[in-house]
Amino acid sequence: MIDAALSSSGTRVVLATSGDENYPPENIIDGNTETFWISTGMFPQEFILRFSDPLKIKLLTIHSYNVKNLKIEKSASSDATDFDTLSEKEFEHTEGHLQANDFSLTGTTATHLRFIITSGYDHFVSVHRVAIEGVYQ
Amino acid sequence: MVKLRARCILVGDASVGKSALAQMFRSDGAHFQKNYSMTAGVELVVKSVNIPESSDSVELFIFDSAGKETFVEACEKLWGQPSVLCLVFDVSSEASFRSCSLWLERVRAHCQGLQVPGVLVGNKSDLSSRREVETAVAQEWAQNQGLEYHETSAKEMENCDAPFLSLAQAFYALYQDRLQTIQTLA
């Protein structure tokens, strides 16, 4: 199945609370776990993805490092408002390799997804890739 | 270019000059409050520090926290997860120096095992005739605790920026270090 979160499928990052210009949030949706976005201090941190069309999601996978608590919210509106909580998870701490976590979100249709990192295992956390199995409506 | 953000917890006994120090730093030495006014909660002072030889900066969110015992518990709730620590005592008060280990313990309880860069500041260095804590003694204790030692006089505008600049730099160094680690992962 095609990864619907890729920037090449029209997905955009419309907000990110941290910005090191060498590690832009677009790295999250380039399909590559070698490139990443890094937070630049303090929590919470968040980023919002916008899809080109309403997306019916099956499975979401996120590759990250040092993220402790992550909350995912969705919006079905066209202007990134009215977010509802979809899922919340405490990630396990990994050392020497990335965290890989799946979220089974079958039946969810969204125009935007908001990822809120409420705490980390270090001062700085990185997100390498968000991949989504889904079908555009 | 990157702008980091650090939560700086500023603690120490009441009346050692924490607020005076924070205000001198914020105002670039333009504002020394002559009359003592006790901080009852937490006052937030925000200032950006440029990192030398780079186009990067660290924005310090200084949580100037009440030193008076009655208020401490309420203040602690606002500390969150500290990024850096600024621990202050008064060089003319042995008691305020002795309290430092308790303050350190309190802040570390909020650090969740994270490496938190810290400085120890001996303030009121202008009161040389009333000095009760020798530089060497403070320096040694700081070193044992992994803190960098600075002496300041908020009143004489002496060295007030140094502790904050050093914290900003330490946090920046931590960022560079973590970046390097993450780069090797992928």
Side-chain angles (χ1 to χ4, degrees), chain B residues 1-32:
Chain B
M1 193 188 80
V2 61
K3 184 181 201 171
L4 304 181
R5 292 193 203 103
R7 190 182 269 267
C8 173
I9 308 301
L10 176 58
V11 291
D13 276 3
S15 79
V16 296
K18 297 181 293 300
S19 303
L21 201 64
Q23 291 307 326
M24 287 300 276
F25 172 63
R26 180 191 60 80
S27 65
D28 293 312
H31 184 81
F32 177 73

Side-chain angles (χ1 to χ4, degrees), chain A residues 36-56:
Chain A
F36 57 88
W37 167 74
I38 184 166
S39 73
T40 55
M42 308 217 300
F43 293 98
Q45 293 283 340
E46 70 172 77
F47 60 92
I48 296 178
L49 301 185
R50 172 191 286 158
F51 308 114
S52 56
D53 286 298
L55 179 67
K56 195 169 177 203

Side-chain angles (χ1 to χ4, degrees), chain B:
Chain B
M1 193 188 80
V2 61
K3 184 181 201 171
L4 304 181
R5 292 193 203 103
R7 190 182 269 267
C8 173
I9 308 301
L10 176 58
V11 291
D13 276 3
S15 79
V16 296
K18 297 181 293 300
S19 303
L21 201 64
Q23 291 307 326
M24 287 300 276
F25 172 63
R26 180 191 60 80
S27 65
D28 293 312
H31 184 81
F32 177 73
Q33 185 149 7
K34 290 204 181 81
N35 297 317
Y36 177 65
S37 119
M38 186 169 69
T39 307
V42 172
E43 251 170 62
L44 183 61
V45 175
V46 183
K47 189 173 172 178
S48 204
V49 175
N50 293 319
I51 301 298
E53 289 161 44
S54 78
S55 53
D56 303 333
S57 59
V58 177
E59 195 172 17
L60 291 174
F61 290 71
I62 302 169
F63 285 65
D64 176 13
S65 212
K68 191 96 180 148
E69 205 50 51
T70 338
F71 305 121
V72 174
E73 213 175 302
C75 290
E76 280 195 47
K77 294 198 171 78
L78 301 168
W79 290 351
Q81 195 170 324
S83 312
V84 295
L85 160 70
C86 183
L87 174 54
V88 187
F89 71 97
D90 167 359
V91 296
S92 71
S93 156
E94 168 83 37
S96 74
F97 177 62
R98 277 199 307 269
S99 297
C100 286
S101 44
L102 176 63
W103 284 111
L104 195 58
E105 223 171 276
R106 273 185 182 139
V107 176
R108 290 217 164 125
H110 291 261
C111 294
Q112 298 173 29
L114 286 196
Q115 183 187 343
V116 171
V119 291
L120 176 70
V121 179
N123 189 36
K124 308 195 189 178
S125 63
D126 51 289
L127 298 177
S128 50
S129 61
R130 282 161 49 192
R131 184 185 272 270
E132 289 184 1
V133 182
E134 291 310 319
T135 304
V137 173
Q139 184 112 50
E140 196 195 333
W141 185 81
Q143 203 172 355
N144 289 337
Q145 304 301 322
L147 305 171
E148 197 175 292
Y149 185 58
H150 294 269
E151 282 196 357
T152 59
S153 164
K155 181 167 169 273
E156 301 296 331
M157 291 190 251
E158 203 73 55
N159 215 24
C160 294
D161 286 354
F164 298 106
L165 299 185
S166 128
L167 285 173
Q169 271 176 347
F171 194 65
Y172 182 70
L174 209 55
Y175 178 71
Q176 299 293 337
D177 179 75
R178 297 309 192 261
L179 256 180
Q180 217 162 21
T181 308
I182 294 169
Q183 272 161 343
T184 62
L185 290 180

